[in-house]
Amino acid sequence: MNAFADDVAKEASVVEQFTIFGSDSSVNNVPGSAHQLSKDDLEKFDYTDIMRSLTSIPGVYVLEEDGYGLRANIGMRGTGQNRSEKVTIMEDGVLAAPAPYAAPSAYYFPTAGRMQQVEVLKGTSSAMYGPRTTGGVVNMLSRQIPDEALAGQIKVQAGQDGFAKVHGVIGGQGENISSVFEVFRYQADGFKDINHSNQDTGFVKNDVLGKVRFNTDDDATFDQELELKVKYSDEDSDDTYMGLTQADFESDPYSRYSASQKDNMTTEHLQLQLSHAIELSERFNLGTTVYHNDFSRNWYKTSKIGQMVVDDEGNSSIVYQSLSKGTQLASDYDHGEIDELYTQVKANNRDYLSQGIQTVLDADLNNHQLKLGIRYHQDEMDRYQWVDKYYLDANYNMTLTGEGTPGTDSNRIDSASALALFVHDEWTIGKFVINAGLRYEDMTIEREDWGKTDPDRLTEAKTKKNDLDVILPSLALTYHLTDDLVLLGGVQKGFAPPSPGNEEATNEESINYELGARFGKNAFNAEALVFLSDYDNMHGNCTASQNCDDENIGEQYNAGEVKIKGIELKAGYEFDFNDLSMPIDLTYTHTQTEFLNTFESDFWGDVEAGDEFPYVPENQFQLTVGLAGDKWRSNVLVRYTGEMRSEAGVGASASNIDSHTVVDFVASYDIATNQQVRFSVDNLLDETYMATRMHGSIMVGKPQTMSIGYQYNF
């Protein structure tokens, strides 16, 4: 059997420390909300956009931005989705955000199309993982070494708007040395058109992954495995924050203003990971991972738009407005209502570092399954930015009029070091399973700022340093009422550290509760949970993607007391019609959010007690229906996102984002035992919908996109 056709079996090895559930654990036994997207689940639609995959999990919210998932915005249980900053993102059990403590906004996200499995935890299930424990955890398992001596896979795909994908894997097991090598490339010309220009608005992204594993002989005193993982990726995308005015969205939703023609993101990412596993005895296993991540990015994009004005004395000057306020100017210029336009294009240049060492001891003490873990982590973000000035002529060409000096717009380093320890005990008493956990974090978070007048960093930086520690308990209970029905409940303390430079240095803290049941028998499974997140204080982190003014980017704001509650439902059943099968999966989330304080904020605006959160839909729903024969399969996915606010408030508002329904379709046919062809349509009904107003203007969702693909296994 081909290793790439079935889930890889996970024995007691380095792979065990990559996963949350492990090979011997059942999701059904995990306290709290826990879901796993298997290799088969991920290959059903074969998405390259992680957000389209995660909508099958209740309690998860996503916010489209570029339409291809390059900049993932993921939230859980009302935390907010901006840059996935409130969710702990991991790849192979290691923190994946570029700087998860110092700068959690994830402008880098692991390429979803090369992942083999995705695990999602929320609530009490996520208590072992940090630093952000309120929302939850997304852990992605990368390509694992196959079981055979030699196995591999080749995938190619092509579609509308210049979309193309090439994915190749080869690897195998040896007596003591095993390895796998993977190449993943995907690209598109983009589905938007820049006014008065033939430029593409798409991207090219490359991923290369290599793993080598060494294992001891069968007769060794201690079974051991050592695995080295090396991954490199780069991206070049002509992406922008510049959306449309309401009038332009209604008339031409897939257009882009000519003032955004220089907008471009370039990135490079290098990951090194060395993992070791040793079986100390039949009851004790120790797993250790050393990791190092380098990420650099420069998002060169329009940040301000200006117009020449003449005062009463005849003096002329350029008056610039922020991107959101200048959107109307960009619209007027493209429509010929004004004669000239000036832009400031900012080089949002940043270098990131994230590295550390973590180790976990697993102890089998009969009725007690004990985990003891420790991690030492360091990360930093180095902002070294500048602004160039351009003039747009009558032919809509941008001419450089003022070249900025690197380090004269933003020039600072945000850094953090953290020591984390946890203990978790799973205690089985008859039909009861008690999960008790305790996590301790000791952090130092620092900002060194040289301002805008010292690009060479010759003077002493202005420094803000916060030292803090926190103890985070959790308690969960599951009760097997029958072999098929499990009752569960739990409570945990949620936490997120303050950002560097936050003068008040206030933590985000909450008490989170959940209660529900799981049922599974034969072809039917179901889960129902109610949750409540009671915040003493909630953070809002200012980023450019949140439409914050330049001088406020990186600052943190406190909302004080907040309450979020909701219901999560999931059910699935597979009908068997002899030669045909019909799997059905249903997911529903209902969420209610409420600010409990009245306050004014540069981040949330003017908030009244009782206001609802922006960008958290009250209702969202997804239905997937499949039909499969001997050699063919088809699936239809219907995803509904309810109306949501774009700013804090209650009731109807002209700034609300309307509800929308998107339908995806895929069909595949096995032309041989090891070959398959596939036809996919994203947004089958070609729904035109507003994805976000996050940047102070309207961004449109991805339109209907068809593609065909071919897969060969060996």
Side-chain angles (χ1 to χ4, degrees):
M1 182 178 293
N2 190 282
F4 296 97
D6 297 282
D7 288 336
V8 176
K10 294 185 284 293
E11 302 172 353
S13 65
V14 291
V15 181
E16 287 291 293
Q17 60 192 294
F18 297 162
T19 68
I20 292 174
F21 303 133
S23 59
D24 298 325
S25 298
S26 168
V27 174
N28 198 45
N29 293 324
V30 175
S33 177
H35 295 89
Q36 178 176 281
L37 299 177
S38 68
K39 184 170 178 287
D40 289 340
D41 294 329
L42 295 174
E43 289 191 340
K44 186 177 293 184
F45 286 89
D46 201 23
Y47 290 130
T48 53
D49 183 346
I50 184 64
M51 294 188 290
R52 292 180 103 90
S53 297
L54 291 179
T55 54
S56 65
I57 297 173
V60 176
Y61 319 87
V62 300
L63 197 64
E64 282 188 65
E65 183 172 326
D66 55 85
Y68 295 103
L70 299 176
R71 250 62 73 198
N73 297 290
I74 302 166
M76 295 183 183
R77 292 185 171 175
T79 57
Q81 303 96 313
N82 181 46
R83 290 287 174 268
S84 310
E85 65 183 8
K86 295 295 189 71
V87 176
T88 298
I89 305 294
M90 301 189 299
E91 180 180 333
D92 292 336
V94 168
L95 295 173
Y101 283 81
S105 299
Y107 286 87
Y108 163 80
F109 200 91
T111 301
R114 63 176 175 82
M115 296 303 163
Q116 195 164 302
Q117 182 177 302
V118 177
E119 301 169 311
V120 177
L121 298 179
K122 301 188 299 294
T124 50
S125 300
S126 62
M128 285 186 288
Y129 308 94
R132 286 157 179 80
T133 62
T134 299
V137 179
V138 177
N139 181 46
M140 291 162 286
L141 190 69
S142 68
R143 177 65 58 184
Q144 299 303 302
I145 298 171
D147 292 331
E148 288 84 2
L150 180 66
Q153 181 184 84
I154 297 173
K155 287 183 180 180
V156 293
Q157 187 177 351
Q160 289 178 280
D161 300 317
F163 180 82
K165 180 178 74 175
V166 177
H167 185 193
V169 184
I170 187 169
Q173 295 269 4
E175 185 174 347
N176 295 107
I177 301 177
S178 308
S179 63
V180 68
F181 181 73
E182 180 177 36
V183 176
F184 191 100
R185 175 188 173 96
Y186 67 122
Q187 63 189 60
D189 295 336
F191 55 83
K192 297 179 183 178
D193 297 312
I194 299 177
N195 296 340
H196 314 290
S197 171
N198 294 320
Q199 289 181 231
D200 290 339
T201 58
F203 70 95
V204 175
K205 188 170 183 179
N206 301 291
D207 261 84
V208 180
L209 170 73
K211 292 183 180 181
V212 180
R213 183 185 301 161
F214 305 88
N215 61 273
T216 55
D217 295 326
D218 293 339
D219 58 355
T221 304
F222 298 103
D223 288 338
Q224 298 185 65
E225 288 189 352
L226 182 69
E227 182 174 291
L228 173 65
K229 170 187 174 183
V230 180
K231 187 204 75 75
Y232 171 83
S233 68
D234 60 44
E235 176 192 327
D236 189 325
S237 55
D238 298 318
D239 206 1
T240 184
Y241 278 161
M242 186 177 289
L244 300 173
T245 64
Q246 183 75 41
D248 287 334
F249 172 75
E250 292 171 357
S251 63
D252 191 359
Y254 301 109
S255 63
R256 255 178 61 177
Y257 297 130
S258 58
S260 71
Q261 61 187 268
K262 295 291 184 182
D263 289 15
N264 174 263
M265 164 86 91
T266 56
T267 76
E268 284 189 288
H269 183 268
L270 175 66
Q271 180 185 65
L272 304 174
Q273 186 171 322
L274 185 65
S275 301
H276 176 259
I278 179 171
E279 186 178 321
L280 300 173
S281 70
E282 292 184 357
R283 291 183 179 271
F284 295 94
N285 290 289
L286 184 67
T288 304
T289 297
V290 181
Y291 58 93
H292 176 93
N293 288 281
D294 271 312
F295 177 63
S296 61
R297 52 148 277 197
N298 187 6
W299 198 343
Y300 191 66
K301 62 180 185 291
T302 298
S303 60
K304 291 185 179 180
I305 299 173
Q307 187 178 17
M308 186 75 72
V309 297
V310 180
D311 62 21
D312 294 338
E313 298 177 358
N315 299 315
S316 62
S317 62
I318 302 172
V319 177
Y320 286 98
Q321 300 187 71
S322 65
L323 182 59
S324 59
K325 295 178 181 177
T327 302
Q328 184 63 55
L329 268 183
S331 175
D332 291 343
Y333 177 74
D334 280 2
H335 289 300
E337 296 177 16
I338 57 176
D339 297 328
E340 55 188 12
L341 201 67
Y342 299 83
T343 67
Q344 291 186 4
V345 183
K346 184 175 180 179
N348 286 267
N349 183 57
R350 306 180 194 177
D351 291 320
Y352 295 84
L353 173 67
S354 174
Q355 60 187 9
I357 181 172
Q358 60 189 39
T359 187
V360 177
L361 176 67
D362 287 289
D364 180 359
L365 306 178
N366 296 325
N367 291 337
H368 292 269
Q369 299 297 312
L370 196 65
K371 284 182 179 289
L372 300 169
I374 182 171
R375 178 179 71 206
Y376 179 72
H377 175 90
Q378 295 177 328
D379 64 45
E380 71 173 35
M381 175 189 68
D382 188 340
R383 294 170 60 100
Y384 196 68
Q385 303 177 350
W386 63 96
V387 173
D388 294 334
K389 295 180 180 180
Y390 287 84
Y391 169 68
L392 274 76
D393 62 26
N395 295 317
Y396 302 95
N397 296 315
M398 291 180 68
T399 303
L400 183 67
T401 60
E403 187 174 358
T405 301
T408 56
D409 186 79
S410 185
N411 185 7
R412 72 172 191 248
I413 295 176
D414 291 349
S415 61
S417 60
L419 177 67
L421 302 95
F422 77 83
V423 57
H424 183 269
D425 181 26
E426 182 181 295
W427 181 19
T428 303
I429 311 174
K431 294 184 177 182
F432 287 94
V433 179
I434 300 171
N435 285 267
L438 194 65
R439 182 177 187 84
Y440 171 77
E441 295 238 19
D442 184 8
M443 291 158 278
T444 298
I445 301 173
E446 185 174 4
R447 172 173 291 176
E448 300 170 276
D449 196 340
W450 286 267
K452 299 183 178 183
T453 59
D454 185 16
D456 296 323
R457 298 179 176 175
L458 300 176
T459 60
E460 185 175 352
K462 181 181 178 181
T463 302
K464 174 67 178 179
K465 186 176 181 180
N466 295 324
D467 293 305
L468 64 148
D469 60 1
V470 64
I471 296 175
L472 305 170
S474 64
L475 181 65
L477 176 70
T478 59
Y479 177 68
H480 291 257
L481 190 64
T482 68
D483 291 340
D484 307 318
L485 180 61
V486 179
L487 306 180
L488 56 94
V491 58
Q492 65 151 155
K493 183 177 181 179
F495 168 81
S499 68
N502 182 14
E503 293 295 334
E504 296 184 28
T506 306
N507 299 335
E508 177 177 279
E509 295 187 3
S510 62
I511 303 296
N512 309 304
Y513 310 87
E514 60 185 352
L515 182 66
R518 293 194 191 99
F519 179 84
K521 186 173 184 179
N522 300 326
F524 179 72
N525 64 84
E527 176 180 296
L529 283 168
V530 295
F531 66 88
L532 169 64
S533 297
D534 191 359
Y535 287 79
D536 288 334
N537 180 51
M538 172 178 268
H539 282 166
N541 297 311
C542 226
T543 65
S545 64
Q546 290 276 49
N547 192 34
C548 285
D549 291 335
D550 286 351
E551 59 269 20
N552 294 329
I553 290 175
E555 298 301 320
Q556 193 169 76
Y557 298 90
N558 300 303
E561 294 181 72
V562 167
K563 189 167 290 186
I564 302 171
K565 57 186 176 182
I567 302 171
E568 300 171 355
L569 302 175
K570 188 172 180 65
Y573 186 78
E574 183 167 338
F575 293 94
D576 186 357
F577 303 118
N578 295 324
D579 293 336
L580 295 176
S581 63
M582 181 187 289
I584 296 177
D585 185 80
L586 173 67
T587 300
Y588 172 73
T589 304
H590 175 78
T591 312
Q592 296 180 2
T593 62
E594 184 180 7
F595 289 100
L596 300 182
N597 298 316
T598 298
F599 61 95
E600 295 181 3
S601 167
D602 292 331
F603 181 78
W604 281 289
D606 296 338
V607 176
E608 297 286 339
D611 281 355
E612 299 171 350
F613 281 17
Y615 296 107
V616 179
E618 186 173 341
N619 296 290
Q620 57 182 30
F621 166 92
Q622 180 166 302
L623 174 67
T624 304
V625 179
L627 194 63
D630 183 35
K631 293 186 176 182
W632 60 273
R633 289 153 297 281
S634 65
N635 286 277
V636 175
L637 182 152
V638 181
R639 180 172 59 254
Y640 168 82
T641 304
E643 182 181 11
M644 57 183 169
R645 308 193 62 82
S646 65
E647 54 189 25
V650 292
S653 171
S655 64
N656 285 1
I657 296 174
D658 292 338
S659 62
H660 58 269
T661 301
V662 176
V663 180
D664 293 342
F665 171 79
V666 64
S668 62
Y669 180 77
D670 298 332
I671 57 177
T673 55
N674 63 341
Q675 298 180 66
Q676 181 188 96
V677 291
R678 175 187 295 262
F679 174 70
S680 303
V681 187
D682 291 346
N683 195 355
L684 177 68
L685 304 181
D686 202 17
E687 174 86 357
T688 300
Y689 60 97
M690 187 186 302
T692 175
R693 294 180 185 264
M694 187 74 77
H695 314 120
S697 51
I698 298 171
M699 306 292 278
V700 67
K702 184 181 178 183
Q704 183 188 84
T705 307
M706 291 183 282
S707 65
I708 57 173
Y710 169 78
Q711 176 177 321
Y712 174 75
N713 295 331
F714 62 90

